[in-house]
Amino acid sequence: MDIPSRFSEPALLTPTMGLRRLLLLFAMAQQNVLIAATDVLELGDSDFEYTVAEHDTLLVEFFAPWCGHCQRLAPEYETAATKLKGKVYLAKVDCTVNSETCGRFGVNGYPTLKIFRNGEDSAAYDGPRTADGIVSYMTKQVGPSSVALHSEGDLDAFINNFEASVVGFFSGEESTQLAEFLKASSAMRDNHRFAHTTDLSLDVTPTPLLGLFTRAVLLIRPPRLNSKFEDSVIKTTAFSTASLRQFIGDHVFGLCPHLTAENRDDMSGRDLLVAYYDVDYLHNIKGTNYWRNRVMKVATKFQSQELNYAVANRAEFQDELKEAFNLGPSDMQELPLITIRTKEGNKYIMQEEFTPDGKSLERFLEDYFADKLKRHIKSEAVPQNNNGPVKVVVADNFEEMVNNPSKDVLLEFYAPWCGHCKSLEPKYTELGEKLSADDNIIIAKMDATANDVPSMYDVQGFPTIFFVPAGQKDQPQKYTGDREVNDFISYLKKEATHPLVLGTTREDL
């Protein structure tokens, strides 16, 4: 191997000096290997524009090295880049050293992910943040929005997928219905898989339906989820984007889908019962469907009620179970764990053991629909001494403290690890001290990571502060002003139900 001149050997080389130089060369070689090992393109102000323009489709992450969310995303993003290599590329921009590029694209939070097409900012990425989810989402972004199928082999290969398939059958390439279908597939390619064919002789395995009609769109459930409790293939003869969007939305999940980290956002905003157990559709389809079928059998008896059902892998959702239901690994068992979470945020756990005949689940649902179940509330212990200038609110005393109809309440939702919350603490304490003589107002705080936050309080970051007026507890007002003591006092002088009492002096409005 040729050695660069700056590393050429001196005339007199001792063994120790030679060893040092060899180690230096080895370290440099290893560094180059590590740099080359990443499949994520690293872009900056100097090369962003022309590099992005070289790619038909490119996903770009704008990040900051100190950002915790970015750090959690990093290994998933790297894995996704490796899996997508050769199909679509992933890139990243460090906004702490490339402020020009990040500013140009309006980046004001981390991580921000954007999809670029032919060098242009095409759309915000709003897909999953797991490797498999990124792969699935970005795979749909490349190539045609609907795959042309020419044989039954093509059809079988397309529908043999972990996701549902939407397949259109048309009389010819010039069909107006096909044109509508392709327009719809382009509009919905982010979330669903589309294919089409003009060969009306193709049959959909395992349910040959096509001999009954000439033109239609079929929604075909993933083969692993086939069950006697619901149809595996659903048909529509509507082709417009609006009609297909409604059709897919109504049927894509079916009676009891497989809930994953990738699709849970799509299933949010609804009342949902989940059976958590060792769901494994890669290695144990039969065992997984044993319990799913028992959930579905019971679910068919309550289909007229507004409740959705799903099965999920217990280990995959362990963190969520811990956060929402305070259930750790020691609380888990081999039998399915049943929970319900409503769109309003109410939570319930089935206390009785899941029985193979489904009777325990049936009793649980009867009690749920009869409003006989006790809600599960995650709460810290109510403090025995709560006489400080800032009152401590937990879920179990929220009604008493915050919803007291005679009191105005300024309530801070915080997280113990939040740096901004720690900076606010002495100012917030000083505010409480200044208003300690005012019996009409409470300055309070609540650890939002250890207590359930009522659904009417939109807490997306920390600290988040609300003013809850006396007599209007259903109308909390988000505080968006500055966070100095005088800023809070000025705000409260305007919003408080009664004139403020600062120390021993009443402040008239």
Side-chain angles (χ1 to χ4, degrees), residues 122-338:
S122 173
Y125 173 90
D126 59 358
R129 300 292 178 95
T130 62
D132 289 342
I134 295 170
V135 170
S136 175
Y137 191 97
M138 292 307 299
T139 298
K140 299 185 183 88
Q141 301 298 317
V142 296
S145 60
S146 178
V147 178
L149 307 176
H150 304 289
S151 67
E152 288 198 9
D154 290 345
L155 178 60
D156 290 342
F158 184 76
I159 66 177
N160 187 25
N161 194 279
F162 253 51
E163 298 182 43
S165 306
V166 182
V167 184
F169 294 80
F170 304 96
S171 57
E173 295 291 344
E174 304 303 318
S175 164
T176 56
Q177 289 92 347
L178 174 57
E180 286 189 85
F181 179 82
L182 293 177
K183 183 178 178 181
S185 69
S186 179
M188 293 183 281
R189 67 183 299 165
D190 291 354
N191 300 309
H192 306 293
R193 304 172 60 254
F194 293 87
H196 65 276
T197 183
T198 56
D199 185 349
L200 299 180
S201 67
L202 300 186
D203 280 338
V204 178
T205 304
T207 309
L209 295 175
L210 293 181
L212 304 178
F213 49 88
T214 55
R215 293 177 295 277
V217 175
L218 304 184
L219 188 149
I220 306 166
R221 304 194 196 286
R224 75 188 190 284
L225 300 182
N226 288 344
S227 170
K228 66 180 181 180
F229 295 106
E230 66 179 350
D231 294 330
S232 299
V233 180
I234 312 294
K235 163 194 164 186
T236 183
T237 53
F239 302 97
S240 70
T241 299
S243 298
L244 282 177
R245 193 186 300 277
Q246 183 69 47
F247 169 72
I248 295 171
D250 289 344
H251 298 288
V252 68
F253 289 122
L255 180 59
C256 185
H258 176 198
L259 179 68
T260 66
E262 284 73 47
N263 67 16
R264 65 177 167 186
D265 288 344
D266 297 326
M267 298 187 68
S268 63
R270 60 185 73 194
D271 298 343
L272 182 65
L273 177 148
V274 182
Y276 296 97
Y277 58 101
D278 294 329
V279 171
D280 185 355
Y281 277 111
L282 287 177
H283 306 101
N284 188 13
I285 294 177
K286 184 177 179 180
T288 297
N289 280 334
Y290 174 86
W291 289 112
R292 177 173 177 265
N293 284 334
R294 277 143 185 80
V295 173
M296 295 179 76
K297 182 179 179 180
V298 176
T300 58
K301 300 178 181 180
F302 297 91
Q303 279 187 283
S304 62
Q305 304 281 0
E306 292 187 5
L307 182 64
N308 298 273
Y309 303 84
V311 297
N313 181 272
R314 196 161 36 209
E316 184 178 2
F317 286 89
Q318 182 57 63
D319 291 344
E320 186 170 304
L321 287 169
K322 178 64 176 176
E323 179 182 346
F325 294 94
N326 201 30
L327 293 171
S330 61
D331 299 303
M332 300 301 164
Q333 51 187 334
E334 291 186 7
L335 296 175
L337 168 71
I338 306 296

Side-chain angles (χ1 to χ4, degrees), residues 410 427-435 443 485 488-489:
L410 188 69
K427 303 172 187 177
Y428 205 63
T429 300
E430 181 181 344
L431 174 66
E433 291 170 344
K434 285 182 177 290
L435 293 172
I443 306 302
V485 175
F488 286 121
I489 290 176

Side-chain angles (χ1 to χ4, degrees), residues 28-54:
M28 292 183 63
Q30 287 296 101
Q31 185 180 28
N32 289 334
V33 168
L34 288 173
I35 292 173
T38 180
D39 291 313
V40 177
L41 304 177
E42 297 187 21
L43 306 181
D45 290 340
S46 62
D47 61 354
F48 184 89
E49 189 168 352
Y50 73 79
T51 302
V52 170
E54 293 176 346

Side-chain angles (χ1 to χ4, degrees), residues 357-427:
D357 61 7
K359 293 298 183 182
S360 59
L361 177 58
E362 192 170 337
R363 287 189 291 271
F364 176 68
L365 287 173
E366 287 172 348
D367 287 344
Y368 169 73
F369 290 119
D371 200 23
K372 294 180 179 179
L373 294 180
K374 181 180 179 181
R375 285 175 51 199
H376 173 83
I377 299 177
K378 183 177 73 170
S379 177
E380 294 179 290
V382 176
Q384 294 182 347
N385 184 346
N386 206 2
N387 298 321
V390 177
K391 307 305 179 188
V392 176
V393 174
V394 299
D396 283 343
N397 71 356
F398 193 94
E399 188 69 23
E400 173 191 351
M401 297 287 295
V402 180
N403 289 340
N404 184 331
S406 65
K407 303 285 188 181
D408 289 337
V409 179
L410 188 69
L411 177 61
E412 174 204 1
F413 293 98
Y414 74 95
W417 44 260
C418 164
H420 294 298
C421 304
K422 293 175 182 177
S423 298
L424 174 63
E425 185 174 4
K427 303 172 187 177

